Amino acid sequence: MRLSRKPTSRRFFELFSEIGSNIAASVDVLREFVRAPDERRAELAERLHELEHVGDRATHAIIEHLDRSFVTPFDREDIYRLAVRLDDVVDDIDAAVDLTMLYRVDVLPEGVDAQVELLSRAAQLTAEALPRLADPQGLTDYWVEINSLENEADKAYRRLLSRLYDGRLEALEVMKLKEIVDQLEAAADAFEHVADVVRTIAVKES
Amino acid sequence: MRLSRKPTSRRFFELFSEIGSNIAASVDVLREFVRAPDERRAELAERLHELEHVGDRATHAIIEHLDRSFVTPFDREDIYRLAVRLDDVVDDIDAAVDLTMLYRVDVLPEGVDAQVELLSRAAQLTAEALPRLADPQGLTDYWVEINSLENEADKAYRRLLSRLYDGRLEALEVMKLKEIVDQLEAAADAFEHVADVVRTIAVKES
Amino acid sequence: MRLSRKPTSRRFFELFSEIGSNIAASVDVLREFVRAPDERRAELAERLHELEHVGDRATHAIIEHLDRSFVTPFDREDIYRLAVRLDDVVDDIDAAVDLTMLYRVDVLPEGVDAQVELLSRAAQLTAEALPRLADPQGLTDYWVEINSLENEADKAYRRLLSRLYDGRLEALEVMKLKEIVDQLEAAADAFEHVADVVRTIAVKES
């Protein structure tokens, strides 16, 4: 069913902006979580879980809006792909927090702070970029910066691993911690995949 | 070379249906495999391997048919992508079984049963959906259910890991088992990627 | 800004050819690296790092050329995707070498040689295919061979893992080595993803 025409596009941009803000809010909770004392973590994990549901609903709203829209600001498959990739970001963050609770990890590895700082900057860049989606070619800086953040995240991740393997911790403990750290690294990758879809949209229009 | 026209589309749907049945058959063998006593496993691994070859041939038949077809029911790249993604499912299952044999694992971790049950439901949904590909927009339920199964699979996977890390097994043993469990988790993801291609097709047509 | 027209396409093919040669050169350095005595490794790691920068620059040159080109030999998004996927290959190889240095690994696991041999053949095939991109349908053999190499690489990888887990090494040591081996396996996958984009281009034109 194709109902609306013009105001349609504005609705897409609104929904993507909401998702951007929701991602920034999720990374804020993650940041609090990794610094929080043990007794506050359950509450923060719960809050993150709620934000994940908010994100899910916005993702579905975009897809439903896509099904009902006659005119779309970009190729339909790119809108769909962008929505799915954005959803991955919060899923990965939620998984990292979930594993920390499941494994009853008290002390996260040194270096997680640096990972989360990079995620925080990526989240801010993404939240600022999404409201400007109507002009994808104006987002070159965003794309370049996300790529350079992802490079930094890769390096931070490898340095973290090499400390994790230095022999102070038992192998099973290392494996658990690595699982958490891997999810944070996946979140950094997810931000890059989002930027790649945005870049694809820009490239098509150039 | 573009030879045929109309009956072309029907052939694509037939081939995709065959692949769907083949995936369902593969997951059935996997299910038997994880419950089977040690001495029956080699035979089941062999059977799965044959099904993997059947799938490979059907995948190549689709790609060749694509090269020869003038008219296609969907965008050519989506047919190609769907064929490739479907191929991944059986590859992942085959890898899990292969590793179990290679590592001479006797007892798979508690929780693998639950993983395989979820794969089994995903396989059924996929096998039912593929013969209905001609109406991709009628497949919303399929896509929603696969996504919710994948969420369940994620949770089952994390619970399984947390049991695996509880200190009863030695680290090297845990690593081997995790490798197998990771391949099954990859198969769950692969079903979701298939559903995503189907959804992309639907979205383009909406 | 769309400036040029005809000579545009030739420039794309030149840049992709350069990237292909750069990948082949990178795998040559990797090959030397895994056989080199400890004291030569830092220098080879450095050389690989420089090749990675050369690749980055060529990737950016393609994307900039894309932004400025009115006529493109293939769909704009496929050119973009191919550039990004090619970039992944050298990134993965660089990561494997980087981890080897970071972890101060002296002896790489038996079987890494076989992995690197397969990467070397994939690099040669890719470097030969890219100058022939103007006729993507003539590249069926390339695609078939890369897929079969990737299958071999999967098997070599699993055999390598099963030796790695055989109990001779300590768990932490195994984890480090696996990290390196995983990056090489990722490079094999990356070659397949490149071939998939090439195949998508061919499929669209068929």
Side-chain angles (χ1 to χ4, degrees), chain B residues 2 60 63-64 66-67 69 76-77 80-81 84 91 94-95 98-99 102-103 171-172 175-176 179, chain C residues 81 137 143 157-159 161-162 164-165 167 169 171 174-175 178 195-196 199-200 203-206:
Chain B
R2 287 166 173 170
H60 281 106
I63 297 173
E64 273 168 35
L66 195 52
D67 284 342
S69 298
R76 315 178 69 83
E77 66 264 36
Y80 173 69
R81 205 165 287 153
V84 170
D91 277 0
D94 192 48
D98 210 25
L99 288 171
L102 257 174
Y103 297 162
L172 273 180
M175 290 172 78
K176 283 190 235 175
E179 210 70 42
Chain C
R81 208 166 285 152
Q137 299 195 264
W143 179 79
Y157 170 72
R158 285 182 220 154
R159 278 194 302 270
L161 285 190
S162 98
L164 207 54
Y165 289 151
L169 296 172
V174 171
M175 291 172 77
K178 181 168 187 294
D196 271 343
R199 184 70 196 176
T200 302
V203 147
K204 281 189 183 177
E205 304 216 332
S206 67

Side-chain angles (χ1 to χ4, degrees), chain C residues 173-189:
Chain C
E173 190 62 21
V174 171
M175 291 172 77
K176 282 190 236 175
L177 296 175
K178 181 168 187 294
E179 209 71 41
I180 296 164
V181 162
D182 280 355
Q183 287 291 346
L184 296 176
E185 167 68 5
D189 286 343

Side-chain angles (χ1 to χ4, degrees), chain C residues 47-192:
Chain C
R47 207 193 298 167
L48 186 57
H49 216 58
E50 280 158 24
L51 291 174
E52 201 242 309
H53 285 309
V54 173
D56 275 355
R57 276 194 297 274
T59 307
H60 281 106
I62 285 179
I63 297 174
E64 271 168 36
H65 190 55
L66 195 51
D67 284 342
R68 279 193 316 260
S69 299
F70 186 64
V71 175
T72 56
F74 318 121
D75 281 354
R76 314 179 69 82
E77 66 265 34
D78 291 327
I79 293 178
Y80 173 69
R81 208 166 285 152
L82 184 56
V84 170
R85 293 285 175 273
L86 284 163
D87 200 43
D88 289 342
V89 174
V90 181
D91 278 359
D92 289 331
I93 289 169
D94 191 48
V97 165
D98 210 25
L99 289 171
T100 309
M101 299 303 292
L102 258 175
Y103 298 162
R104 302 170 192 277
V105 168
D106 289 337
V107 186
L108 287 163
E110 196 189 333
V112 160
D113 262 14
Q115 267 193 311
V116 172
E117 257 351 279
L118 291 166
L119 290 179
S120 184
R121 282 162 58 195
Q124 262 157 28
L125 284 169
T126 305
E128 282 161 24
L130 289 173
R132 294 161 53 214
L133 257 191
D135 172 29
Q137 299 195 264
L139 293 173
T140 303
D141 287 355
Y142 150 72
W143 179 79
V144 168
E145 284 182 59
I146 288 284
N147 270 276
S148 115
L149 277 179
E150 202 274 333
N151 270 333
E152 273 190 68
D154 270 2
K155 279 177 200 153
Y157 170 72
R158 285 182 220 154
R159 278 194 302 270
L160 197 164
L161 285 190
S162 98
R163 275 197 301 265
L164 207 54
Y165 289 151
D166 68 4
R168 281 175 305 174
L169 296 172
E170 279 187 29
L172 273 180
E173 190 62 21
V174 171
M175 291 172 77
K176 282 190 236 175
L177 296 175
K178 181 168 187 294
E179 209 71 41
I180 296 164
V181 162
D182 280 355
Q183 287 291 346
L184 296 176
E185 167 68 5
D189 286 343
F191 276 115
E192 195 186 29

